[in-house]
Amino acid sequence: MTVENTGSGAAHDAAEPDPIALRLEQLILGSERRYTPFQAARSAGVSVEQATRFWRAMGFADIGQAKALTEADVLALRRLSGLVEAGLLSEPMAIQVARSTGQTTARLADWQTDSFLERLTEPQEPGMTRTEIAYPLVELLLPELEEFLVYVYRRQLAAAAGRVVQAADDAEMVDRRLAVGFADLVSFTRLTRRLEEEELGELVEAFETTAADLVAAHGGRLIKTLGDEVLFSADEAGTAAEIGLRLIETMAHDETMPELRVGMAFGTVTTRMGDVFGTTVNLASRLTSIAPKDAVLVDGAFAEELVRTGDTPVSEAEAAEAATAAEKEGREPPRYRFALQPMYQRPVRGLGVVEPWLLSRRG
């Protein structure tokens, strides 16, 4: 059985928790430590083996048989096992629910603790530890943050459910045709050797924040951030194209940021636990690695999709002919958002020969 590893050493049977840290834990969890893992499993009506699988999936550390679990832990086990017993979830699905929730909230908790509470508790009051200062802050903030978390979760769930309902068929719910893009900071490894840790952290945070805001504002979805790289997706190639170019334009106007390069591909994508997989994703990653600085490269399927939706002409010659014909007939010429320039074909590791296209805005 597992439980969160607090700074008091809860991962070890013999460790005695710090009294103030224990008070903080009780405040957050809403109940006291009462159960060993065996007692918690028995109270929840599940086997120790099943309870251990659930807790490990949530990302908590082993504690042996320490009395470190609460009524909330028992209730969580009872709920998950109840969904399995009722046939609403299979056990593997329940494990996936536990794992995805644990991974997401673990990062959220670390993020908020590191960047939010730490700043609020500095400088420290004379004679008081950070933990002593954090307690009243957590007491005030916890209910507000909890309600906000539930609100955002419901909003995200509604958006995700809407995408599933709009899917053309059952297969499209899992294997969907999406535009996928990577945005990568150029020469990031060299920056890590030159910048101080605090400066590097600020740069990464600024990059991730800017990218997340731009992706969301223009209708895309941020899949994940990897320090010097972000992965995003969009239902339409035109949406992804706008995001890619906006990222380049925004970063280029920030003198504190290094150059950026973006690679995007369009095609079938497998989605699992909020992540995306498949050849389309791999191709977007490879295109990013060969993209020029401050430029966007797309694959042939992405280019064809932009043509199909009328976001770019088949060729500049066709665009000129259409404009001339419209002028003669006294009507508005077609308005294209983007321009595409074919690049030299080149072999891409693991994917054969591809023909990248350089994406830009039309003047």
mmCIF file of all heavy atoms in Angstrom, residues 103-134:
data_model
loop_
_atom_site.group_PDB
_atom_site.id
_atom_site.type_symbol
_atom_site.label_atom_id
_atom_site.label_comp_id
_atom_site.label_asym_id
_atom_site.label_seq_id
_atom_site.Cartn_x
_atom_site.Cartn_y
_atom_site.Cartn_z
ATOM 1 N N GLN A 103 -1.221 11.562 -11.902
ATOM 2 C CA GLN A 103 -0.140 12.254 -12.615
ATOM 3 C C GLN A 103 -0.471 13.725 -12.820
ATOM 4 O O GLN A 103 0.392 14.606 -12.651
ATOM 5 C CB GLN A 103 0.103 11.575 -13.969
ATOM 6 C CG GLN A 103 0.745 10.197 -13.857
ATOM 7 C CD GLN A 103 0.914 9.524 -15.198
ATOM 8 O OE1 GLN A 103 0.480 10.037 -16.240
ATOM 9 N NE2 GLN A 103 1.517 8.353 -15.202
ATOM 10 N N THR A 104 -1.712 14.016 -13.179
ATOM 11 C CA THR A 104 -2.099 15.401 -13.440
ATOM 12 C C THR A 104 -2.079 16.238 -12.167
ATOM 13 O O THR A 104 -1.530 17.337 -12.138
ATOM 14 C CB THR A 104 -3.506 15.440 -14.067
ATOM 15 O OG1 THR A 104 -3.508 14.670 -15.271
ATOM 16 C CG2 THR A 104 -3.910 16.866 -14.378
ATOM 17 N N THR A 105 -2.668 15.706 -11.106
ATOM 18 C CA THR A 105 -2.757 16.482 -9.877
ATOM 19 C C THR A 105 -1.416 16.563 -9.146
ATOM 20 O O THR A 105 -1.179 17.528 -8.409
ATOM 21 C CB THR A 105 -3.827 15.907 -8.939
ATOM 22 O OG1 THR A 105 -3.573 14.504 -8.744
ATOM 23 C CG2 THR A 105 -5.218 16.098 -9.528
ATOM 24 N N ALA A 106 -0.552 15.568 -9.331
ATOM 25 C CA ALA A 106 0.777 15.638 -8.712
ATOM 26 C C ALA A 106 1.547 16.820 -9.270
ATOM 27 O O ALA A 106 2.182 17.583 -8.533
ATOM 28 C CB ALA A 106 1.548 14.343 -8.956
ATOM 29 N N ARG A 107 1.487 16.998 -10.586
ATOM 30 C CA ARG A 107 2.183 18.122 -11.189
ATOM 31 C C ARG A 107 1.552 19.442 -10.746
ATOM 32 O O ARG A 107 2.244 20.412 -10.456
ATOM 33 C CB ARG A 107 2.140 18.010 -12.713
ATOM 34 C CG ARG A 107 2.971 19.089 -13.381
ATOM 35 C CD ARG A 107 2.918 18.997 -14.877
ATOM 36 N NE ARG A 107 3.767 20.028 -15.454
ATOM 37 C CZ ARG A 107 3.687 20.429 -16.707
ATOM 38 N NH1 ARG A 107 2.820 19.894 -17.519
ATOM 39 N NH2 ARG A 107 4.486 21.370 -17.161
ATOM 40 N N LEU A 108 0.230 19.463 -10.686
ATOM 41 C CA LEU A 108 -0.463 20.673 -10.247
ATOM 42 C C LEU A 108 -0.076 21.035 -8.819
ATOM 43 O O LEU A 108 0.199 22.201 -8.501
ATOM 44 C CB LEU A 108 -1.979 20.464 -10.354
ATOM 45 C CG LEU A 108 -2.868 21.595 -9.842
ATOM 46 C CD1 LEU A 108 -2.639 22.866 -10.643
ATOM 47 C CD2 LEU A 108 -4.334 21.179 -9.889
ATOM 48 N N ALA A 109 -0.052 20.030 -7.935
ATOM 49 C CA ALA A 109 0.290 20.285 -6.538
ATOM 50 C C ALA A 109 1.720 20.781 -6.401
ATOM 51 O O ALA A 109 1.994 21.735 -5.646
ATOM 52 C CB ALA A 109 0.083 19.008 -5.720
ATOM 53 N N ASP A 110 2.645 20.164 -7.121
ATOM 54 C CA ASP A 110 4.043 20.612 -7.071
ATOM 55 C C ASP A 110 4.167 22.039 -7.587
ATOM 56 O O ASP A 110 4.882 22.872 -7.016
ATOM 57 C CB ASP A 110 4.923 19.680 -7.909
ATOM 58 C CG ASP A 110 5.182 18.362 -7.212
ATOM 59 O OD1 ASP A 110 4.989 18.286 -5.988
ATOM 60 O OD2 ASP A 110 5.578 17.397 -7.893
ATOM 61 N N TRP A 111 3.483 22.308 -8.682
ATOM 62 C CA TRP A 111 3.540 23.628 -9.302
ATOM 63 C C TRP A 111 3.038 24.695 -8.327
ATOM 64 O O TRP A 111 3.674 25.721 -8.118
ATOM 65 C CB TRP A 111 2.698 23.609 -10.572
ATOM 66 C CG TRP A 111 2.926 24.761 -11.495
ATOM 67 C CD1 TRP A 111 3.643 25.895 -11.252
ATOM 68 C CD2 TRP A 111 2.430 24.892 -12.829
ATOM 69 N NE1 TRP A 111 3.610 26.724 -12.339
ATOM 70 C CE2 TRP A 111 2.875 26.130 -13.329
ATOM 71 C CE3 TRP A 111 1.645 24.082 -13.639
ATOM 72 C CZ2 TRP A 111 2.566 26.572 -14.614
ATOM 73 C CZ3 TRP A 111 1.346 24.523 -14.915
ATOM 74 C CH2 TRP A 111 1.801 25.756 -15.396
ATOM 75 N N GLN A 112 1.871 24.443 -7.733
ATOM 76 C CA GLN A 112 1.297 25.441 -6.836
ATOM 77 C C GLN A 112 2.143 25.614 -5.582
ATOM 78 O O GLN A 112 2.328 26.738 -5.098
ATOM 79 C CB GLN A 112 -0.133 25.032 -6.468
ATOM 80 C CG GLN A 112 -1.105 25.166 -7.628
ATOM 81 C CD GLN A 112 -2.521 24.821 -7.245
ATOM 82 O OE1 GLN A 112 -2.761 24.144 -6.250
ATOM 83 N NE2 GLN A 112 -3.479 25.261 -8.040
ATOM 84 N N THR A 113 2.677 24.521 -5.044
ATOM 85 C CA THR A 113 3.494 24.613 -3.842
ATOM 86 C C THR A 113 4.776 25.382 -4.108
ATOM 87 O O THR A 113 5.177 26.262 -3.343
ATOM 88 C CB THR A 113 3.820 23.212 -3.303
ATOM 89 O OG1 THR A 113 2.598 22.528 -3.012
ATOM 90 C CG2 THR A 113 4.657 23.300 -2.031
ATOM 91 N N ASP A 114 5.432 25.044 -5.224
ATOM 92 C CA ASP A 114 6.714 25.673 -5.534
ATOM 93 C C ASP A 114 6.574 27.150 -5.897
ATOM 94 O O ASP A 114 7.330 27.992 -5.421
ATOM 95 C CB ASP A 114 7.391 24.935 -6.699
ATOM 96 C CG ASP A 114 7.847 23.545 -6.302
ATOM 97 O OD1 ASP A 114 7.932 23.288 -5.081
ATOM 98 O OD2 ASP A 114 8.102 22.722 -7.187
ATOM 99 N N SER A 115 5.616 27.454 -6.747
ATOM 100 C CA SER A 115 5.552 28.814 -7.288
ATOM 101 C C SER A 115 4.597 29.741 -6.543
ATOM 102 O O SER A 115 4.738 30.951 -6.616
ATOM 103 C CB SER A 115 5.126 28.764 -8.760
ATOM 104 O OG SER A 115 3.815 28.235 -8.873
ATOM 105 N N PHE A 116 3.645 29.169 -5.825
ATOM 106 C CA PHE A 116 2.614 29.988 -5.202
ATOM 107 C C PHE A 116 2.864 30.166 -3.710
ATOM 108 O O PHE A 116 3.121 31.268 -3.224
ATOM 109 C CB PHE A 116 1.250 29.329 -5.445
ATOM 110 C CG PHE A 116 0.083 30.193 -5.077
ATOM 111 C CD1 PHE A 116 0.002 31.503 -5.502
ATOM 112 C CD2 PHE A 116 -0.949 29.681 -4.311
ATOM 113 C CE1 PHE A 116 -1.086 32.292 -5.167
ATOM 114 C CE2 PHE A 116 -2.035 30.456 -3.967
ATOM 115 C CZ PHE A 116 -2.099 31.770 -4.401
ATOM 116 N N LEU A 117 2.837 29.067 -2.977
ATOM 117 C CA LEU A 117 3.014 29.164 -1.536
ATOM 118 C C LEU A 117 4.406 29.641 -1.159
ATOM 119 O O LEU A 117 4.580 30.412 -0.217
ATOM 120 C CB LEU A 117 2.741 27.807 -0.888
ATOM 121 C CG LEU A 117 1.273 27.353 -0.903
ATOM 122 C CD1 LEU A 117 1.137 25.981 -0.283
ATOM 123 C CD2 LEU A 117 0.394 28.349 -0.174
ATOM 124 N N GLU A 118 5.411 29.192 -1.908
ATOM 125 C CA GLU A 118 6.776 29.599 -1.572
ATOM 126 C C GLU A 118 6.933 31.107 -1.655
ATOM 127 O O GLU A 118 7.578 31.733 -0.821
ATOM 128 C CB GLU A 118 7.768 28.907 -2.506
ATOM 129 C CG GLU A 118 9.214 29.231 -2.188
ATOM 130 C CD GLU A 118 10.186 28.451 -3.056
ATOM 131 O OE1 GLU A 118 9.753 27.523 -3.749
ATOM 132 O OE2 GLU A 118 11.370 28.803 -3.037
ATOM 133 N N ARG A 119 6.339 31.702 -2.675
ATOM 134 C CA ARG A 119 6.445 33.155 -2.824
ATOM 135 C C ARG A 119 5.671 33.884 -1.729
ATOM 136 O O ARG A 119 6.090 34.934 -1.252
ATOM 137 C CB ARG A 119 5.923 33.562 -4.194
ATOM 138 C CG ARG A 119 6.820 33.084 -5.338
ATOM 139 C CD ARG A 119 6.245 33.422 -6.684
ATOM 140 N NE ARG A 119 7.037 32.829 -7.756
ATOM 141 C CZ ARG A 119 6.704 32.883 -9.042
ATOM 142 N NH1 ARG A 119 5.608 33.511 -9.408
ATOM 143 N NH2 ARG A 119 7.467 32.318 -9.954
ATOM 144 N N LEU A 120 4.535 33.304 -1.349
ATOM 145 C CA LEU A 120 3.732 33.957 -0.321
ATOM 146 C C LEU A 120 4.400 33.905 1.048
ATOM 147 O O LEU A 120 4.140 34.748 1.900
ATOM 148 C CB LEU A 120 2.357 33.281 -0.230
ATOM 149 C CG LEU A 120 1.353 33.635 -1.336
ATOM 150 C CD1 LEU A 120 0.095 32.833 -1.162
ATOM 151 C CD2 LEU A 120 1.040 35.124 -1.329
ATOM 152 N N THR A 121 5.240 32.903 1.278
ATOM 153 C CA THR A 121 5.852 32.748 2.593
ATOM 154 C C THR A 121 7.249 33.334 2.660
ATOM 155 O O THR A 121 7.988 33.095 3.595
ATOM 156 C CB THR A 121 5.927 31.255 2.980
ATOM 157 O OG1 THR A 121 6.652 30.543 1.969
ATOM 158 C CG2 THR A 121 4.554 30.674 3.121
ATOM 159 N N GLU A 122 7.639 34.137 1.667
ATOM 160 C CA GLU A 122 8.934 34.826 1.715
ATOM 161 C C GLU A 122 8.695 36.331 1.613
ATOM 162 O O GLU A 122 7.902 36.784 0.787
ATOM 163 C CB GLU A 122 9.827 34.354 0.567
ATOM 164 C CG GLU A 122 10.284 32.923 0.726
ATOM 165 C CD GLU A 122 11.194 32.474 -0.411
ATOM 166 O OE1 GLU A 122 11.297 33.207 -1.420
ATOM 167 O OE2 GLU A 122 11.798 31.420 -0.286
ATOM 168 N N PRO A 123 9.375 37.172 2.376
ATOM 169 C CA PRO A 123 10.306 36.765 3.446
ATOM 170 C C PRO A 123 9.555 36.246 4.661
ATOM 171 O O PRO A 123 8.404 36.606 4.905
ATOM 172 C CB PRO A 123 11.040 38.047 3.768
ATOM 173 C CG PRO A 123 10.041 39.107 3.454
ATOM 174 C CD PRO A 123 9.256 38.620 2.268
ATOM 175 N N GLN A 124 10.209 35.384 5.427
ATOM 176 C CA GLN A 124 9.572 34.797 6.588
ATOM 177 C C GLN A 124 9.474 35.814 7.724
ATOM 178 O O GLN A 124 10.314 36.683 7.877
ATOM 179 C CB GLN A 124 10.371 33.583 7.058
ATOM 180 C CG GLN A 124 10.447 32.483 6.010
ATOM 181 C CD GLN A 124 11.336 31.347 6.469
ATOM 182 O OE1 GLN A 124 11.455 31.089 7.654
ATOM 183 N NE2 GLN A 124 11.964 30.686 5.528
ATOM 184 N N GLU A 125 8.434 35.631 8.529
ATOM 185 C CA GLU A 125 8.308 36.440 9.734
ATOM 186 C C GLU A 125 9.390 36.027 10.734
ATOM 187 O O GLU A 125 9.717 34.835 10.825
ATOM 188 C CB GLU A 125 6.923 36.245 10.362
ATOM 189 C CG GLU A 125 5.777 36.796 9.527
ATOM 190 C CD GLU A 125 5.809 38.312 9.455
ATOM 191 O OE1 GLU A 125 6.289 38.946 10.422
ATOM 192 O OE2 GLU A 125 5.342 38.862 8.447
ATOM 193 N N PRO A 126 9.948 36.951 11.466
ATOM 194 C CA PRO A 126 10.994 36.602 12.443
ATOM 195 C C PRO A 126 10.514 35.545 13.429
ATOM 196 O O PRO A 126 9.421 35.643 13.985
ATOM 197 C CB PRO A 126 11.276 37.930 13.150
ATOM 198 C CG PRO A 126 10.837 38.977 12.170
ATOM 199 C CD PRO A 126 9.668 38.389 11.434
ATOM 200 N N GLY A 127 11.322 34.486 13.597
ATOM 201 C CA GLY A 127 11.017 33.445 14.564
ATOM 202 C C GLY A 127 9.989 32.442 14.112
ATOM 203 O O GLY A 127 9.588 31.573 14.891
ATOM 204 N N MET A 128 9.518 32.517 12.865
ATOM 205 C CA MET A 128 8.508 31.581 12.368
ATOM 206 C C MET A 128 9.074 30.786 11.201
ATOM 207 O O MET A 128 9.779 31.320 10.347
ATOM 208 C CB MET A 128 7.245 32.316 11.921
ATOM 209 C CG MET A 128 6.501 33.020 13.036
ATOM 210 S SD MET A 128 4.951 33.752 12.442
ATOM 211 C CE MET A 128 3.982 32.278 12.107
ATOM 212 N N THR A 129 8.747 29.501 11.171
ATOM 213 C CA THR A 129 9.165 28.664 10.055
ATOM 214 C C THR A 129 8.200 28.859 8.891
ATOM 215 O O THR A 129 7.085 29.365 9.058
ATOM 216 C CB THR A 129 9.170 27.184 10.450
ATOM 217 O OG1 THR A 129 7.822 26.772 10.705
ATOM 218 C CG2 THR A 129 10.039 26.942 11.681
ATOM 219 N N ARG A 130 8.630 28.407 7.714
ATOM 220 C CA ARG A 130 7.758 28.513 6.541
ATOM 221 C C ARG A 130 6.480 27.717 6.752
ATOM 222 O O ARG A 130 5.395 28.127 6.335
ATOM 223 C CB ARG A 130 8.506 28.036 5.297
ATOM 224 C CG ARG A 130 7.626 28.048 4.040
ATOM 225 C CD ARG A 130 8.413 27.751 2.772
ATOM 226 N NE ARG A 130 9.238 28.898 2.446
ATOM 227 C CZ ARG A 130 10.565 28.851 2.336
ATOM 228 N NH1 ARG A 130 11.199 27.719 2.550
ATOM 229 N NH2 ARG A 130 11.261 29.922 2.020
ATOM 230 N N THR A 131 6.595 26.559 7.398
ATOM 231 C CA THR A 131 5.416 25.735 7.636
ATOM 232 C C THR A 131 4.411 26.454 8.516
ATOM 233 O O THR A 131 3.196 26.402 8.285
ATOM 234 C CB THR A 131 5.820 24.402 8.296
ATOM 235 O OG1 THR A 131 6.839 23.782 7.509
ATOM 236 C CG2 THR A 131 4.638 23.471 8.412
ATOM 237 N N GLU A 132 4.900 27.165 9.543
ATOM 238 C CA GLU A 132 4.006 27.898 10.444
ATOM 239 C C GLU A 132 3.291 29.027 9.719
ATOM 240 O O GLU A 132 2.136 29.350 10.025
ATOM 241 C CB GLU A 132 4.807 28.449 11.629
ATOM 242 C CG GLU A 132 5.286 27.372 12.594
ATOM 243 C CD GLU A 132 6.222 27.921 13.648
ATOM 244 O OE1 GLU A 132 7.028 28.819 13.321
ATOM 245 O OE2 GLU A 132 6.168 27.454 14.793
ATOM 246 N N ILE A 133 3.972 29.615 8.742
ATOM 247 C CA ILE A 133 3.335 30.689 7.968
ATOM 248 C C ILE A 133 2.378 30.103 6.944
ATOM 249 O O ILE A 133 1.315 30.665 6.651
ATOM 250 C CB ILE A 133 4.413 31.544 7.272
ATOM 251 C CG1 ILE A 133 5.324 32.201 8.312
ATOM 252 C CG2 ILE A 133 3.774 32.611 6.393
ATOM 253 C CD1 ILE A 133 6.512 32.915 7.725
ATOM 254 N N ALA A 134 2.732 28.932 6.399
ATOM 255 C CA ALA A 134 1.913 28.330 5.342
ATOM 256 C C ALA A 134 0.563 27.870 5.863
ATOM 257 O O ALA A 134 -0.431 27.901 5.135
ATOM 258 C CB ALA A 134 2.661 27.146 4.720
#
